[in-house]
Structures are given as structure tokens and as C-alpha cells.
Amino acid sequence: MRVFVTGAAGWIGSALVPELIGAGHEVTGLARSDAAAAALTGAGVRVHRGDLDDPGGLRGAAGAADGVIHLAFNAGMVRSGDFQGAVDADRRAVAAVGEALTGSDRPLVIASVTLVLAPGRVGTEQDAPGLDPAAADGPRARLATEQVALSFASQGVRSSAVRLPPTCHGDGDHGFLAALVGIARAKGVSGYIGDGSNRWPAVHRLGAAHLFRLALEKAPAGATLHVVADEGIPIRTIAEVIGRHLDLPVTSIPADQASEHFGPLAGFLAVDNPASSTLTRELLGWHPTHPGLIEDLDKGHYFHS
């Protein structure tokens, strides 16, 4: 299968590319920069230069492919404080790709997040957040993109949405978990908010890459999937492991001081977001075999100076 991948040079994409090539697929990757293009070429990937703000280019690349996996998300806009702008750009990109695939029965797999789920209980693939996407804010605003992607299932596209947990971990991770370690070093304490009982789901990046390939190959039209290995680990447990490795005290941070202590991560860190992947495992035969979050932390690579 000729597969067009956005975000192919990113954290999950760079694990997905060898997964796809190893399964006999040919990969074309979207590259926004010279560095990304060079990385993709070195990995044996054809390069399509462009970005998420080029709908014509996305339609052309998608139309020439046998299937599309959309992983890219504008992290630069998020870092600048324009999360909604990144969500809007993502939604437009998915619409452009879906239009190119309409009536073809070809697969479109998009990355979403478990944070679209209602907090406080274990969410499943069948759970609808119960929000009007136009009224959702923060991470839950990505629900609108999910709905755009899945709407193409009725238009002859084998579209599916894969919800990623807040932590997709592994050696080389520079995401949320690495940020928590960095904050602990800077503050001299490994902190959690309140009693730390709120839970994060997690998955190893290699396990995530494997599921994205299975979704491309086998997911039925309109499927919502959860790429979750650890259903929900209490944030306090994560803080305790970080504190042990850094030899720092583990401390509760009051909710009214969380933003000062954790910065932009505070809002994510306070969410209770457990999620099940039972239905996904049954549907696609996905069985994660890589280290869980706590085991991965204990390997020590997150604490290398």
C-alpha cells in the first residue's frame, strides 16, 4: 500500500515509518522543513514538501496514495498559546484529505486524544463526550476534528480516529513526562496536584505505531480506537517514581498554586482521564507488549542529564 503520512518525522511518526516499511508498505511523508525532509529521506521515505496550511498540497498527496495516516499537529501554535488555532488548522487538514479520498473506500486514520473524553470515569471507545464540539475548549476541542474525520465514513472513506493518551512514552521522549521531570529538577520537588489520585492513561510509542498500522490495514469505517496500554496511573505514583530517581521530596501542590508550579502543564496534570482499550484490542487484535509507563520510567532514560 502507498501510504501518505503527516507527522512522519515526529515522535510517533518516526516509529510508525519503520513499522509500515517493515510490513511492505511504501511511505510518503509530509515535510515542513529541510531537517524533516532529510530525516525522512534517510529513513527511506519519499518526501512531500508542505504543511497543514496547504489544503491543495494535502489533497494532491492524499489522492495519490492508497491510504493516509494523519499524525501532524501544529505544536508551534500550541507553544505560542494558540491551541484553538492549531485545532482549527488540524480540522481543515483532515477535511482536505477526506475530500481527496471520498468515494474511494481507501483508509484515513487520524490521531485524536483521550482527553476529549468526559473526565472522572474510565472512558471507552463507544463513549461520546456529550459536548457540542463548537462549545468544547482545551484538548476537548479536538472532538470537532474527530467528527469531521468520521463523517467521511458515510462518503466512501474507511476513516477511523485513534485516541492517544496524554503520555506516549519511550526513550527520547520530550513530551509531558519529560516536562514533569524537568519541572521537578527546576523546583527541587517532584509535585502532584491535590491528593494526586487523578489518573493518566499511557502507551509506549512503539505500541502506538503498531496500532496505527493495524488501523490503516483493518479498522472498519467509522471506528473510534483507543491506543491505551496503561488504563490509568495515578499522577502521585508517577511523581513518586520521579522523586525516587532524582532523590527529591514528593510534594502535593495546592490547586491554587498549580499554574505557578507546573506552568502550562497544570491544566493537563489535573485531569482525571482513565481510558480503556478493550474494544480496540478485540477489534484489531492489538496486544501491547512494550514496557508500561512505570517500568519505562524505571529504566532511567528519562533522568539522563
Side-chain angles (χ1 to χ4, degrees), residues 46-165:
R46 293 174 180 163
V47 174
H48 176 85
R49 291 300 297 260
D51 58 37
L52 298 185
D53 293 319
D54 177 18
L58 293 173
R59 288 190 195 97
D66 298 316
V68 178
I69 298 178
H70 173 58
L71 299 175
F73 194 73
N74 195 322
M77 294 182 76
V78 176
R79 286 192 292 269
S80 71
D82 188 11
F83 183 84
Q84 186 60 51
V87 170
D88 292 341
D90 189 43
R91 186 178 64 256
R92 290 192 296 266
V94 169
V97 171
E99 290 163 5
L101 298 178
T102 294
S104 69
D105 292 322
R106 285 174 283 175
L108 166 60
V109 183
I110 73 148
S112 184
V113 290
T114 61
L115 289 167
V116 302
L117 294 164
R121 62 184 182 86
V122 178
T124 77
E125 297 89 336
Q126 293 180 333
D127 285 343
L131 284 178
D132 175 359
D137 57 7
R140 301 190 76 189
R142 296 186 70 172
L143 171 62
T145 306
E146 266 194 27
Q147 293 189 349
V148 168
L150 297 179
S151 72
F152 284 103
S154 64
Q155 301 177 50
V157 181
R158 187 162 57 82
S159 58
S160 59
V162 177
R163 290 174 178 163
L164 285 155

Side-chain angles (χ1 to χ4, degrees), residues 199-265:
R199 298 153 290 177
W200 268 11
V203 68
H204 195 282
R205 70 188 284 254
L206 297 178
H210 183 55
L211 179 57
F212 273 99
R213 175 175 69 82
L214 293 178
L216 175 82
E217 295 171 347
K218 302 196 296 183
T224 300
L225 308 166
H226 283 184
V227 59
V228 171
D230 290 312
E231 187 172 280
I233 300 175
I235 295 295
R236 179 170 182 165
T237 300
I238 297 171
E240 288 170 347
V241 177
I242 293 172
R244 173 162 50 80
H245 277 270
L246 297 180
D247 195 23
L248 293 174
V250 180
T251 304
S252 170
I253 307 300
D256 60 358
Q257 299 175 24
S259 293
E260 179 183 354
H261 186 91
F262 294 106
L265 190 59

